[in-house]
Amino acid sequence: MNIVTELFVVTFKIIWSFVLAGAKWFIPPREKSVEGQVCVITGAGSGLGRLFAQEFARRRATLVLWDINRESNEETAEIVREIYREMKPSAGEFNRSSDSVQELPLFQPKVYTYVCDVSKRESVYSTAEKVCKKVGNIDLLINNAGIVSGRHLLECPDELIERTMMVNCHAHFWTAKAFLPKMLELNHGHIVTVASSLGLFTTAGVEDYCASKFGAIGFHESLSHELKAADKDGIKMTLVCPFLVDTGMFSGCKIRKEMAPLFPPLKPEYCVKQAMRAILTDQPMICTPRVMYMVTFMKTVLPFDAIVCMYRFIGADKCMYPFLAQRKESTNNNESKTGI
């Protein structure tokens, strides 16, 4: 095929991709089933991780919960077990005989818990090995674990910066290297990166957090292209980029009061519901709320000075400062108590 013909074919495919994307607004794609599939969730002990666990449990997935905090991880596991107990048997779990209907549970989902520090590759690799031996091959990997230091760059200890990068970014490398080989062998799996809108655009005062999320998104997108280049279409990738979620992680963050109703913190339940919809329909990327797509687009086309003006008008330029001040006060109080 000569280059002119190929150019026409590529142009047609690009136009057709727009048509298909537009059609999904009117004909929502059908959600896939994850019943019986093994789902690993990092940072499952609280926040979005716990909510993801609940959503996958309701869909009868077998859950493997990772968290550095054993107690909170077990609390999530107990919530999941309660969901399993309350669920009605699926249609495939009935065996009809000539004189009676017997309830035979062909599949009973389970939940497994593991204490894992995802910032340490040795911990990730050893935990992944235990999972593969006890549970088997995994189908879904939800890279959700995340932290924030909550300090200005020059006030942040190097150790905290390194830990933020390791948990929010480097951990994605370790989990992928642990589970991707089997996915490639089977040409089956789904990797989800829970990033942030602060990995698409930035604000002042959270340099380490933004850098870590930019890194996670870069890793995710590059891996997506690598899978496409290898024709591994059976392995799906979904990037989740929510606006600030009301989990307490960025407690105190504020923008201009007149603009606040337009950009309220997201309810965690809403965020996870939207993410689950994207995951179950194999959507490559989801930004919540949808206005985040526009903000990201404007960042790519506007001059930097124009972006600064827009930030100042909205009050986004220093929106993290109240959060940072609150975190600093909390740290000082803790240090004072320790001194006493």
Side-chain angles (χ1 to χ4, degrees):
M1 185 184 297
N2 63 51
I3 191 168
V4 175
T5 305
E6 190 173 349
L7 179 60
F8 277 109
V9 172
V10 170
T11 302
F12 173 78
K13 288 182 177 180
I14 292 172
I15 295 172
W16 184 242
S17 68
F18 275 97
V19 173
L20 292 178
K24 291 178 181 178
W25 283 76
F26 303 99
I27 308 174
R30 184 178 180 180
E31 294 186 357
K32 66 183 179 183
S33 172
V34 293
E35 181 174 349
Q37 295 192 17
V38 179
C39 175
V40 171
I41 303 175
T42 67
S46 61
L48 299 185
R50 177 171 290 182
L51 292 173
F52 272 119
Q54 292 174 246
E55 289 294 329
F56 278 106
R58 294 186 183 105
R59 291 164 174 81
R60 302 180 64 80
T62 291
L63 290 172
V64 180
L65 309 180
W66 288 15
D67 201 277
I68 196 171
N69 187 313
R70 184 187 300 274
E71 184 177 348
S72 61
N73 206 29
E74 289 297 337
E75 288 175 3
T76 300
E78 189 52 44
I79 293 171
V80 166
R81 293 187 187 102
E82 185 61 31
I83 292 173
Y84 287 157
R85 286 192 287 266
E86 293 176 353
M87 283 191 307
K88 296 179 180 178
S90 64
E93 294 180 346
F94 292 95
N95 180 34
R96 294 181 179 275
S97 62
S98 56
D99 55 353
S100 64
V101 177
Q102 289 183 312
E103 187 178 315
L104 296 178
L106 301 180
F107 167 73
Q108 181 59 42
K110 296 180 180 179
V111 57
Y112 303 84
T113 60
Y114 294 87
V115 175
C116 179
D117 183 351
V118 294
S119 70
K120 298 177 180 178
R121 61 180 180 272
E122 297 84 1
S123 179
V124 171
Y125 293 154
S126 62
T127 306
E129 187 177 356
K130 293 175 186 175
V131 170
C132 292
K133 286 181 179 178
K134 184 173 183 178
V135 187
N137 300 327
I138 76 157
D139 303 283
L140 298 112
L141 171 61
I142 316 297
N143 280 316
N144 166 77
I147 61 171
V148 61
S149 66
R151 301 192 187 186
H152 288 279
L153 175 62
L154 299 182
E155 298 175 358
C156 188
D158 294 346
E159 295 77 14
L160 276 182
I161 294 174
E162 288 176 342
R163 182 159 181 80
T164 299
M165 294 299 298
M166 288 189 289
V167 173
N168 296 357
C169 181
H170 296 176
H172 296 237
F173 288 78
W174 317 143
T175 56
K177 290 187 72 176
F179 295 116
L180 185 58
K182 199 63 181 180
M183 289 185 179
L184 289 170
E185 181 184 329
L186 302 174
N187 192 23
H188 169 76
H190 198 142
I191 299 175
V192 178
T193 298
V194 181
S196 168
S197 59
L198 290 177
L200 299 170
F201 53 86
T202 64
T203 187
V206 282
E207 290 84 357
D208 55 341
Y209 184 82
C210 290
S212 68
K213 292 300 183 179
F214 265 81
I217 291 174
F219 168 76
H220 178 99
E221 291 182 350
S222 181
L223 181 57
S224 298
H225 284 297
E226 183 168 341
L227 294 174
K228 289 295 184 183
D231 293 323
K232 295 296 183 180
D233 293 328
I235 304 174
K236 308 301 180 183
M237 301 282 292
T238 298
L239 176 62
V240 180
C241 293
F243 184 57
L244 299 181
V245 184
D246 190 14
T247 59
M249 193 173 189
F250 289 100
S251 178
C253 175
K254 296 178 182 178
I255 61 172
R256 186 171 176 172
K257 63 180 181 180
E258 293 88 352
M259 295 291 176
L262 301 176
F263 300 97
L266 297 177
K267 294 295 182 184
E269 295 79 8
Y270 169 78
C271 177
V272 170
K273 290 281 187 184
Q274 294 296 308
M276 287 297 298
R277 174 67 178 164
I279 294 166
L280 297 176
T281 57
D282 295 331
Q283 187 174 325
M285 180 179 181
I286 175 73
C287 289
T288 48
R290 291 187 181 276
V291 71
M292 291 299 108
Y293 292 110
M294 182 60 67
V295 174
T296 304
F297 174 74
M298 291 174 69
K299 176 202 165 185
T300 63
V301 298
L302 290 178
F304 181 72
D305 287 343
I307 295 172
V308 172
C309 289
M310 184 174 67
Y311 268 42
R312 288 176 176 171
F313 175 73
I314 298 173
D317 58 332
K318 297 180 180 179
C319 65
M320 288 292 173
Y321 284 19
F323 156 69
L324 296 172
Q326 190 177 100
R327 181 65 70 91
K328 185 175 182 178
E329 182 180 354
S330 176
T331 302
N332 290 340
N333 288 339
N334 289 336
E335 289 176 351
S336 297
K337 291 178 181 178
T338 303
I340 292 172

